[in-house]
Every structure is written in structure tokens, then in C-alpha cells.
Amino acid sequence: MSKRLFFVIWMVGMAMAISAGNNRPSFGEKPKLVVGIVVDQMRWDYLSIYYNRFTRDGFRRMIDEGYSFDNCLINYLPTVTAIGHTSAYTGTTPAFHGICGNTFFVDGKRTYCCSDSTVQTVGTDNKNVGKMSPRNLLATTIGDQLRLHTGFRSKVIGVSYKDRAAIFPAGRAANAAYWMDLKNGQFVTSSYYMKDLPQWVRDVNKQMAKNEQLKKLGVNVGLSPLTGVLITDMAIAAIQGEKMGQGEETDMLCVSYSHTDVIGHKWSTRGEHTDEAYLEIDKELARLFDALDAQVGKGNYIAFLTADHGAAHNSQFMEDHRLNAGKWSSERLRKDLDAYVASKLGNTKSLILGILDYRFFLDKTEIRQQGLDYQRVKEIIIDYLQQSPNLSFVVDCEKIATSAIPPVLRDRMLLGYSYHRGGEIFVVPDPGYYEYGSWSSPVGTTHGEWNPYDAHIPLLFYGWHVPHGSYAQEVHITDIAPTVCSLLHIQQPNACIGNPLTFD
């Protein structure tokens, strides 16, 4: 290589490096608003499947003008809604943030992830729908850190169809989180945040009360793209009503489009219902970005979009195309398992509290009262499960680190396990198999496993200081929070294990 050619190549490299470096904000620079968007149950490959059918101003605005991390994986087990939303915004996993599932057991008591008996419903006479808060969350979020950094002058608000998808992203120090009361077709919150709804929320609810389509759908609104419209309406109303992005400090809006999960559970990953849902969300994203451009100014906000988990293809669909798949029923298994344990130990009551998200929770109190050996009980259950069909691995949660399982499973189980909330035994179904219970639709699907169909999710950044580009190497859902915090020059969440990503 000649010296002249070498010099030219070196100069080009330096120019590229300087250009990349210019995309990084300096101290003192900050966006007016951060917008986090989660699309529930969105597989990564939906970006490609629907690309040519998307408008130019929704998903494609983020893809064509923003930056895509094409191999973003969930790095823990199980892959479910509450954990995914929490992990994206805390930069950590259930081992640290404590949200071990949508439902888990705490001290032997079955606990919904954000239930809180100490608070009251605000905004509806449906009293139980608002008894929610982030009190079970052990770690801080991006929004919490933003509030801390600015002396609590930043505004942080969460909006979603689901309570858990609004509450956990916003964090414990949030100004507000709003979710839907399906019975009355209204947005509600809890007394954890406020005593009364702001006038702008009441105005949104008044408009919803006039919506004839919403009245007709009732509690089934989650099966309709209308939910996406309502979430966008609420998000835009929050921006306008709270004057987000208009103050001296950076604000944060956390938006979750959760009806896609309801639709996926009902109708799976293929077909007109799923197509309609994602094409409609594309339009809603375009509407949200237009409102952000008008209210905050294009280039003055940064947005990221991800998912809390993906989904498996319907097992019958797979079998019809000669692909390995099937359903695994813990409900059917439990009856035979209880009988097997009783035949070995002579116990008179079930020793299993519940089976949630491929985890077995044992009744330690019952085991103790019957004078049984806890370790022996686990060994017998594990022995039975290891003989059951369609389970690749059965693991004692207290022995994950020393179990003879592939590292990819070992590491994700460890990051997903909490001694006090994470259960005692973990099972891993064969690829293509998934839990099928009384709640499942025969033509629908579910999620929760380590496989790419559940763990490979989109990760798009767009807006302030974000160049156009893509990155194909592995990154993780836990990298989102430190990336945003790095751009804002604020401290990472207090249990963060992720790494800041760069737009190279």
C-alpha cells in the first residue's frame, strides 16, 4: 500500500470517527423530552414482515431515519410483560429489580406484580382497578434517575392499556401513571400518585364516554385496534396537558401499546387480526410523532421503541407445516405430579403453591407442617418432571449455577431468579412448545421462554443526536436504560447491569 493511499484511508477513517463522535451530546446538552415506547408481544421480525406495508411516518420513520439494534435479546427468564417493561427501564433483571413475573409468590402469598392494598382507586367507582402502585419494584428506573438528577423538577408519566405497563416503566418517583378501567372505559390511576385526576385526564375520559365503538366493545376493547388510538390520544393529551418538553428540564413519557399482546394471545402471530393491529399501530406512531414535532419540535426529543417480549407461532400452525411444536399443560401435569409425590412421601395436601411462567413454587409452610424434608420434596418433583415429555431441562433454582445446562440457559435463569420471589424449580420446554392453560386460545399463542421467538425484540432509537444506521451484534434489553442515561449525562438506575450502546 502506498503512503498516499494509506493517508487517504486514514483521513477517511478519522472523518468517520469525528462524524460519529459529533452524534454524542456534550455535557450541558439535553433533549426536551424522552419518549419510551413499548409494543407488547412484538417480535423483532415484524419490522421486516410489515416494512413495505408501513407508512413512512410511523415505524419507518424510526427505521429509515433512526438507528436499529437488530439483535436485541432478552437476557433473563421468564420473558413476560411485567418483567420486560421493568427491565427495559431499570437496565436490570428480576434478580435485582424484584418483579419476577406478572404474578409471583411473596412469603407464600400469591401476589399480582403491582397490587397494593394501601392505595385507593382514583378516577372510577370500580374500586379494585386502581389499587396498584410500583411498591414491589426494588430498583430505580430511567425516570427515577432523571427526577433525582433534576431535583425532581422533571416530569415523568406512564400511559398504557395495562396497569403494569404504565406503572413500572415510569418508576417509583413518577409524577403519574395512567391505565384503563375496561369496565367503565376510562383512564384511571391510584392514590399513590394523586388524590384526583387532572382536568386534562377528565377531558379525555369525557371524550371516551362518547365513543360508541368503545361502548360496544366494552371489556373486549383490548382485542381491537381502537385501544391503540386511545393510548395515543392519552399520550398526546399528557404532552399537551402537562406541557411536557416545555420546561427547563428534560421530561419523560413512557407509552406502552399493550393490546397487541391481547390480540396475539387470542389470534397468534399470523393472520388478518395481527396484520391489522400492527398496521394500525404504525399509523398511531405517525400521529404521535406528528404531535411531538408540533409540541416539542423535531430534533428536540429522543424516542426509543422496543418490546417486552415476543411470541411463539401457534403450535398447530407449526405442525401443519411439519415443524416441531406443541402445547405443554402444567394444569394437567400437576394432578399426576401431586399423586406421585403423595405416593412417595404420604403427604395429605399438595406441596405446590402454584406453577407460573414455567416455575414451580413450593409450599414451604405445608412442607414444614407435615414434617417433610424440603430438599427431598424437590428431588422427588424434579425426578418426576425429568421423566415428563417435551421438557428439555428441569432445574433446581438454588442449584442453577452448578446444573448441567447450557450456559445460555444458566445465565438467563440466574438473572431471572430471586430467592424470595422466584420459585423453586424451573422447567424449559422443547423448542416450539409452550404453556397451554385454561386461559389459552387454540388459535392463539403465548410467550415466556428463552428461544428467539420470545427473546428477540426490536430496539429502535430516533431523534435527538441519533444518526441513521444499524448494528447487528448482540445487545440486551438491559442496555436500553444505561444508553438513555448516558445520552442525558445522568446516573444509571441503581441496579443497572447493562452497557451504554453507541450509534456507530
Side-chain angles (χ1 to χ4, degrees), residues 92-248:
T92 193
T93 69
F96 301 102
H97 62 55
I99 305 304
C100 295
N102 298 332
T103 303
F104 42 86
F105 288 86
V106 179
D107 297 326
K109 181 181 179 181
R110 189 182 176 106
T111 303
Y112 178 60
C113 57
C114 54
S115 63
D116 187 347
S117 61
T118 70
V119 301
Q120 303 301 317
T121 300
V122 175
T124 180
D125 57 4
N126 187 4
K127 299 303 182 183
N128 290 326
V129 73
K131 286 183 170 291
M132 305 291 167
S133 85
R135 292 192 195 277
N136 287 323
L137 176 60
L138 304 179
T140 60
T141 62
I142 303 168
D144 291 334
Q145 295 300 140
L146 185 58
R147 295 266 288 159
L148 282 165
H149 189 82
T150 63
F152 299 93
R153 293 185 296 275
S154 291
K155 295 178 181 178
V156 177
I157 295 175
V159 174
S160 182
Y161 162 83
K162 295 180 180 178
D163 45 30
R164 57 188 181 270
I167 290 170
F168 292 129
R172 293 182 65 118
N175 298 83
Y178 302 100
W179 55 95
M180 286 187 67
D181 170 13
L182 300 182
K183 180 181 177 182
N184 294 322
Q186 303 281 279
F187 278 100
V188 302
T189 188
S190 82
S191 58
Y192 178 89
Y193 304 100
M194 63 192 71
K195 293 181 180 180
D196 297 296
L197 291 179
Q199 186 59 49
W200 66 265
V201 179
R202 295 181 187 181
D203 291 341
V204 171
N205 283 339
K206 287 179 182 178
Q207 289 300 118
M208 290 173 65
K210 300 175 183 178
N211 191 313
E212 294 300 324
Q213 186 182 1
L214 179 57
K215 291 178 184 178
K216 184 177 180 180
L217 289 167
V219 295
N220 294 317
V221 66
L223 294 173
S224 167
L226 174 62
T227 304
V229 176
L230 299 176
I231 296 303
T232 306
D233 287 346
M234 186 62 172
I236 293 173
I239 295 166
Q240 296 173 343
E242 297 292 344
K243 295 181 172 57
M244 301 188 78
Q246 301 300 307
E248 293 184 3

Side-chain angles (χ1 to χ4, degrees), residues 248-269:
E248 293 184 3
E249 305 293 354
T250 301
D251 296 324
M252 184 167 191
L253 178 65
C254 310
V255 183
S256 179
Y257 291 98
S258 298
H259 62 295
T260 42
D261 184 66
V262 184
I263 290 169
H265 282 300
K266 180 72 173 179
W267 290 299
S268 192
T269 60

